[in-house]
């Protein structure tokens, strides 16, 4: 049952999808407001590193459920898309975890989008 919920995440409870949505909506502004190295920046970044991939995985499974059969009626097509999505979600989670543990973190990386680039 648990494996099916991961592979076909659109069958996951709606509460999990909404919880990750609320977490991302609350944590992103909080992460942008915190200063690097503060006590709150690491937990916020780690929570975002988990919430964002889970939220995206569930949302993209909804898209696969809605549109895969319009492209191809073969059940293997949707299964292949779900398998590829699971791989992409795993890589995203691992990348964000690495960024949070050995890099600047999600929040600091987002802040760099609004900073002027230094001239070389």
């Amino acid at each position: 049952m648990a494996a099916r919920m991961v592979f076909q995440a659109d069958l996951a409870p709606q509460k999990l999808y909404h919880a990750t949505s609320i977490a991302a909506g609350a944590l992103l502004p909080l992460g942008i407001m915190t200063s690097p190295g503060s006590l709150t920046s690491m937990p916020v970044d780690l929570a975002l590193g988990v919430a964002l991939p889970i939220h995206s995985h569930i949302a993209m499974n909804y898209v696969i459920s809605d549109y895969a059969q319009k492209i191809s009626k073969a059940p293997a097509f949707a299964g292949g898309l779900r398998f590829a999505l699971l791989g992409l979600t795993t890589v995203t989670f691992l990348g964000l975890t690495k960024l949070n543990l050995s890099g600047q973190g999600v929040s600091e990386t987002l802040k760099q989008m609004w900073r002027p680039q230094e001239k070389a």
Side-chain angles (χ1 to χ4, degrees), residues 20-65:
T20 58
S21 179
I22 291 169
L27 292 172
L28 279 171
L30 181 62
I32 290 173
M33 289 187 296
T34 60
S35 60
S38 68
L39 290 174
T40 57
S41 65
M42 178 65 97
V44 167
D45 285 346
L46 290 173
L48 283 170
V50 173
L52 292 176
I54 290 173
H55 181 77
S56 299
H57 183 76
I58 295 171
M60 288 309 297
N61 267 285
Y62 283 125
V63 172
I64 291 171
S65 293

Side-chain angles (χ1 to χ4, degrees):
M1 178 71 170
R4 184 173 179 210
M5 280 182 41
V6 169
F7 194 65
Q8 291 181 315
D10 54 332
L11 301 178
Q14 279 291 99
K15 289 182 181 182
L16 178 61
Y17 181 70
H18 291 296
T20 58
S21 179
I22 291 169
L27 292 172
L28 279 171
L30 181 62
I32 290 173
M33 289 187 296
T34 60
S35 60
S38 68
L39 290 174
T40 57
S41 65
M42 178 65 97
V44 167
D45 285 346
L46 290 173
L48 283 170
V50 173
L52 292 176
I54 290 173
H55 181 77
S56 299
H57 183 76
I58 295 171
M60 288 309 297
N61 267 285
Y62 283 125
V63 172
I64 291 171
S65 293
D66 289 345
Y67 295 105
Q69 290 187 1
K70 294 179 182 182
I71 296 170
S72 173
K73 300 290 182 196
F77 180 70
L81 289 175
R82 290 180 196 277
F83 187 73
L85 177 61
L86 182 58
L88 183 63
T89 301
T90 302
V91 169
T92 302
F93 170 75
L94 293 174
L96 290 175
T97 301
K98 181 176 171 142
L99 178 67
N100 288 330
L101 296 179
S102 63
Q104 296 177 335
V106 174
S107 302
E108 191 61 27
T109 303
L110 286 174
K111 289 179 199 178
Q112 287 182 355
M113 293 173 57
W114 288 279
R115 290 189 185 132
Q117 291 184 351
E118 295 177 8
K119 304 275 182 178

